[in-house]
Amino acid sequence: MWEDLKYLTGFGNEFASEDPRCPASLPVGQNSPQVCPYGLYAEQLSGSAFTAPRETNRRSWLYRICPSVLHRPFERIDSTHLTVDFSAHPPNPNQMRWKPFDIPTDGQVDFVQGLRTLCGAGQPATRHGLAVHIYTCNVSMENKSMQNSDGDFLIVPQQGTLRIKTEFGRLVVAPNEICVIQQGIRFSIDVEGPSRGYILEVYDTHFQLPNLGPIGANGLANPRDFKSPSAWFEDLDVEHTVINKYGGRLFKAVQVHSPFNVVAWHGNYAPYKYNLADFMVINSVEFDHCDPSIFTVLTCPSVRPGVAIADFVIFPPRWSVTEHTFRPPYYHRNCMSEFMGLIHGKYEAKEEGFLPGGATLHSIMTPHGPDAACFEGASTAELKPVRVADGTQSFMFESSLMMAVTEWAEETCSKLDKAYYECWQPLKKHFRIAEP
């Protein structure tokens, strides 16, 4: 079922797809005929306002066995560990590092049940802001799906491959790949065992590729490497629960058919995946350390030019060749919030303590940079061409907003490393005034 999936390639393209079991299931020449082929229902899914400019207008037409409106009323369910109230817990400007988050070993926990909010800013009710979540789970979602009415999910698996059913088709997303499931799209996640990962959620608009400026037409994440699912359906008459994340709370509705009953679809609003190994790295070849913006995969822009609600940035394997330069990341205070995670390997600026499945948060204007061991080593290293980050993949969620941590992140999870600040304490004073 999951082998040899066929994908549609390209970022933000206009796609048209039919399940091969039902040829000619897409209407010809119009979106909503009086009678659709095969007796299907036509349903539009809008990811932008009807009158949004053409270049940002996102919508798809779905041709499905039963319309999504066929369900019982939504009922509120427990969502203790999810929140959009980022003022509920006192702010904390300290550097924060979390040890790897525990994957459940007692009982069965699926993707929805294993969601935890770490930090964020803003509100989905005003369509402005973002949130960072962790997921940890050990079983698949059985006759259950989820839709996020609040915003888009960018999912970063760290352990365990995800097999994702969506209304548009199926995706297989392994560690070192990412996927984006946009607002309103229903999905279900199957896992093969203990699984863990990170989620960046944005409320404002959708992710897009960053502008390349003088880099030119090619580079960074190339559009051709993004993959969307091709149409696939299941016609199951079973009791199915739809979980709706709405206003930061969870609700459930029961229906008696699978939501993955879309036989054909066309449009430019569809989930997608991307392999981080396909990223074309740009780097300095003469001197100094480039700003990390050169590693941006996707961005969710704000209304201010060049300022992002959220950037997804990676630090992939690459060559380091600069001369008379301190090569690791520089010491920094930033007008942006920086949340980092580690998929595998060791991060060059902090090889100890920052572990796969863990995280760090350096808030707005909070100092950060290489630990003492990294500084001393890089200050005396022979400056020859070397490979950096082989066997490693770290990433950053960066935001112009001041992200606040949740009570679960700072206290309940018991993973906050309160000794994190100690990695900088051995830094020595090297200043000296030369004698005349």
Side-chain angles (χ1 to χ4, degrees), residues 141-423:
M141 296 169 64
E142 294 292 339
N143 293 323
K144 179 193 290 187
S145 61
M146 182 181 191
Q147 76 171 50
N148 183 5
S149 298
D150 292 339
D152 291 7
F153 274 167
L154 187 157
I155 302 174
V156 185
Q158 184 273 318
Q159 178 177 326
T161 296
L162 306 181
R163 296 176 301 186
I164 307 176
K165 293 180 187 176
T166 79
E167 296 173 272
F168 293 79
R170 297 165 294 170
L171 298 163
V172 174
V173 185
N176 214 50
E177 295 182 313
I178 62 166
C179 72
V180 171
I181 301 177
Q182 296 95 324
Q183 182 184 25
I185 295 175
R186 293 180 178 178
F187 66 95
S188 180
I189 292 183
D190 289 356
V191 297
E192 299 172 341
S195 301
R196 176 174 55 202
Y198 312 84
I199 299 176
L200 171 60
E201 180 183 15
V202 292
Y203 307 143
D204 292 64
T205 181
H206 306 296
F207 289 102
Q208 63 187 50
L209 295 174
N211 291 321
L212 296 180
I215 291 175
N218 307 290
L220 307 187
N222 288 309
R224 64 177 297 191
D225 294 321
F226 289 82
K227 299 177 180 179
S228 291
S230 56
W232 173 88
F233 73 92
E234 59 184 16
D235 184 11
L236 299 178
D237 296 324
V238 296
E239 186 168 284
H240 185 100
T241 300
V242 177
I243 305 296
N244 186 359
K245 181 176 177 294
Y246 182 88
R249 307 278 186 169
L250 295 182
F251 299 80
K252 72 172 184 179
V254 175
Q255 59 189 45
V256 292
H257 64 275
S258 169
F260 309 116
N261 63 358
V262 177
V263 176
W265 64 271
H266 74 84
N268 62 3
Y269 191 60
Y272 54 86
K273 60 177 275 187
Y274 176 74
N275 190 330
L276 301 182
D278 292 331
F279 188 81
M280 178 185 163
V281 180
I282 304 292
N283 208 354
S284 174
V285 296
E286 183 63 23
F287 63 88
D288 279 355
H289 189 288
C290 291
D291 294 333
S293 49
I294 61 166
F295 300 128
T296 302
V297 180
L298 293 167
T299 184
C300 177
S302 73
V303 295
R304 290 180 290 164
V307 179
I309 297 299
D311 286 330
F312 173 61
V313 179
I314 64 172
F315 303 100
R318 60 199 182 275
W319 281 100
S320 181
V321 299
T322 48
E323 300 176 333
H324 47 81
T325 292
F326 182 76
R327 289 179 174 178
Y330 42 72
Y331 292 98
H332 195 202
R333 288 183 297 160
N334 195 356
C335 64
M336 310 279 278
S337 301
E338 301 181 14
F339 175 93
M340 284 193 63
L342 185 60
I343 299 172
H344 55 252
K346 292 185 176 181
Y347 179 57
E348 59 180 302
K350 297 181 185 69
E351 294 196 358
E352 302 299 329
F354 183 32
L355 301 174
T360 65
L361 176 64
H362 300 141
S363 296
I364 287 177
M365 291 304 171
T366 294
H368 55 279
D371 60 22
C374 177
F375 177 83
E376 295 298 334
S379 298
T380 58
E382 180 184 357
L383 295 181
K384 59 183 180 180
V386 294
R387 293 286 299 171
V388 176
D390 278 341
T392 293
Q393 187 61 263
S394 56
F395 68 88
M396 178 167 65
F397 300 152
E398 185 176 53
S399 174
S400 61
L401 304 182
M402 184 175 287
M403 293 197 288
V405 297
T406 62
E407 181 179 2
W408 184 88
E410 190 167 358
E411 298 175 6
T412 310
C413 73
S414 300
K415 290 299 176 181
L416 187 64
D417 182 358
K418 296 183 179 179
Y420 181 31
Y421 75 96
E422 294 178 1
C423 74

